Amino acid sequence: MEMADMIDRRLISLGLDVKDKEDAIQKICRMMYDAGKVIDYKEYLAGVRERESECATGMGNGIAIPHCKNSCVKDAAFTLVKLKKPIEWGALDNEPVDYVIMLAAPDSSDNVHLKMLSKLAVNLMDDGFRKSLKDAADIDQIINIFQTRKEQ
């Protein structure tokens, strides 16, 4: 499973305008639903909220990775969302979040969500990758960043 192969242009947003964390979660869950990755918006939203209530998914460095493993997920997917302005997320470093990578995984025994989380975590620990991703000005640049990473 390569993250570059999973990129869906419909799940990339640069400059999403949100009021707060809840607004961000709702809008990004809607992106998943509108792209056909989840079959039930309300169930997926509830799953993301439930996971977030267990432990905030703000990872630090301005990035949050909310996620949900649920039977309403049709296809494993992830969003790449740059927020218009940083918001409070309850991140590990107590800094606001300006980039949200939301994962959706089917409720299957192959644990695809753990594989996705692992690959993302490894990539995001690389300062150059993280900076490139956050600085990307358009969708093609984001796709190129992941494809270049895949080739290494």
Side-chain angles (χ1 to χ4, degrees):
M1 174 194 66
E2 292 292 337
M3 300 301 285
D5 298 332
M6 295 179 68
I7 292 176
D8 184 326
R9 289 176 174 274
R10 299 171 296 179
L11 297 176
I12 299 173
S13 177
L14 302 174
L16 184 67
D17 192 14
V18 299
K19 296 180 295 211
D20 54 26
K21 178 178 169 180
E22 178 60 23
D23 190 33
I25 288 172
Q26 288 178 22
K27 287 179 178 175
I28 298 170
C29 284
R30 176 63 63 185
M31 288 172 64
M32 286 286 197
Y33 178 76
D34 290 346
K37 303 299 181 180
V38 300
I39 56 174
D40 187 322
Y41 168 76
K42 288 182 181 178
E43 186 176 344
Y44 180 66
L45 176 61
V48 171
R49 284 177 174 154
E50 181 180 336
R51 171 62 186 87
E52 199 67 32
S53 72
E54 293 169 6
C55 180
T57 56
M59 309 312 291
N61 294 306
I63 297 173
I65 309 178
H67 50 281
C68 177
K69 176 182 175 183
N70 192 296
S71 60
C72 72
V73 177
K74 187 171 136 187
D75 297 311
F78 66 96
T79 66
L80 296 161
V81 177
K82 186 176 190 176
L83 302 177
K84 188 173 184 176
K85 61 181 186 219
I87 58 171
E88 174 56 39
W89 199 282
L92 295 174
D93 61 2
N94 294 314
E95 294 297 321
V97 163
D98 61 357
Y99 210 95
V100 182
I101 304 171
M102 183 180 285
L103 308 181
D107 190 9
S108 57
S109 60
D110 64 358
N111 287 319
V112 69
H113 72 293
L114 295 178
K115 294 172 188 169
M116 291 167 66
L117 272 171
S118 175
K119 285 192 179 260
L120 273 172
V122 168
N123 286 336
L124 291 170
M125 284 191 305
D126 180 297
D127 292 338
F129 176 87
R130 189 177 58 249
K131 181 172 178 3
S132 295
L133 188 62
K134 291 180 85 173
D135 290 347
D138 61 45
I139 292 173
D140 290 329
Q141 282 183 338
I142 290 175
I143 291 169
N144 186 53
I145 291 164
F146 276 89
Q147 287 174 335
T148 302
R149 190 71 173 189
K150 175 182 173 181
E151 295 164 6
Q152 293 180 353

